[in-house]
Amino acid sequence: LNLQDEKSIPHIFAHTIEDTLFGMGYAEAQDRLWALKIKKFLIEGRMSELFGRKDYPQITSAETLSFMMSGHECEPFGLRNEKKAQAYCDGINYYARNTKLLPIEFYIFWLDWEDWTIENSLGMIAFSSFSLEFDWMYEIASQRLLETVGFDLALQIINYGSKTLFREVTIMSEE
């Protein structure tokens, strides 16, 4: 059972883990169906289908990378976890197939819902890992700027206005 309170916060009541994951998928689809569609295009390397162009460097890069995993790459995931992951996907797809009205973006772009799969979920994990990999470069650059020009000037240069931007960071050396 999936209920939302007066603040639209979902509350999921279930007897099994699979039922809980179905409810989580359903709740995510209620709030983020269009975002899931965009993520599906991104991780499958199909952004040009959405925008109808291939001359954007970001689109070409995303299509070249494609974060989808093959069945062979998913084998370590295991059958036990596959049933749980499928329950989550089933919750998303149940909502999408049974909602009376898709988010307006589906109609603007003339798109239908395509089922969310376990491979899509694993692709999102791969994409998240990939996008987090570049944070280390920013952290090092920020720390070097802080060490070079001091806190006040570094804050002005970056212009974030947040004193929590620069925190103590340990940079490993080759020594």
Side-chain angles (χ1 to χ4, degrees), residues 112-127:
D112 293 319
W113 175 253
E114 299 171 57
D115 279 353
W116 188 262
T117 65
I118 293 172
E119 290 81 14
N120 292 141
S121 294
L122 293 173
M124 277 309 304
I125 293 168
F127 175 73

Side-chain angles (χ1 to χ4, degrees), residues 7-169:
K7 295 180 181 177
S8 295
I9 297 171
H11 296 268
I12 301 165
F13 301 92
H15 294 289
T16 67
I17 261 306
E18 288 80 9
D19 289 346
T20 303
L21 291 164
F22 181 94
M24 288 174 61
Y26 188 94
E28 181 161 2
Q30 278 181 313
D31 292 337
R32 297 181 180 91
L33 199 59
W34 177 246
L36 287 166
K37 181 69 172 182
I38 293 293
K39 289 174 184 176
K40 186 174 181 69
F41 275 111
L42 177 69
I43 60 180
E44 291 178 356
R46 299 171 45 208
M47 291 299 283
S48 63
E49 288 180 40
L50 184 62
F51 295 107
R53 300 179 63 162
K54 287 195 176 217
D55 57 342
Y56 290 123
Q58 297 86 345
I59 291 174
T60 305
S61 298
E63 289 184 349
T64 302
L65 291 171
S66 184
F67 295 96
M68 290 299 291
M69 296 181 177
S70 68
H72 176 72
E73 292 171 306
C74 296
E75 282 177 14
F77 190 58
L79 184 59
R80 194 172 120 207
N81 290 324
E82 184 178 347
K83 289 179 182 177
K84 292 174 183 163
Q86 188 60 55
Y88 172 76
C89 295
D90 290 345
I92 292 170
N93 294 324
Y94 182 84
Y95 175 83
R97 289 186 210 126
N98 293 289
T99 187
K100 292 178 182 171
L101 192 63
L102 293 170
I104 192 161
E105 295 88 349
F106 282 87
Y107 303 103
I108 291 170
F109 287 98
W110 294 84
L111 295 172
D112 293 319
W113 175 253
E114 299 171 57
D115 279 353
W116 188 262
T117 65
I118 293 172
E119 290 81 14
N120 292 141
S121 294
L122 293 173
M124 277 309 304
I125 293 168
F127 175 73
S128 296
S129 297
F130 173 79
S131 61
L132 291 173
E133 286 179 15
F134 296 100
D135 189 47
W136 66 270
M137 291 184 280
Y138 173 77
E139 293 290 338
I140 291 173
S142 296
Q143 185 64 27
R144 296 263 162 84
L145 179 65
L146 176 65
E147 291 169 358
T148 304
V149 301
F151 177 80
D152 291 331
L153 186 54
L155 201 56
Q156 288 176 9
I157 291 169
I158 294 183
N159 196 22
Y160 280 106
S162 170
K163 293 188 178 189
T164 61
L165 175 66
F166 297 104
R167 56 190 184 282
E168 194 168 314
V169 177

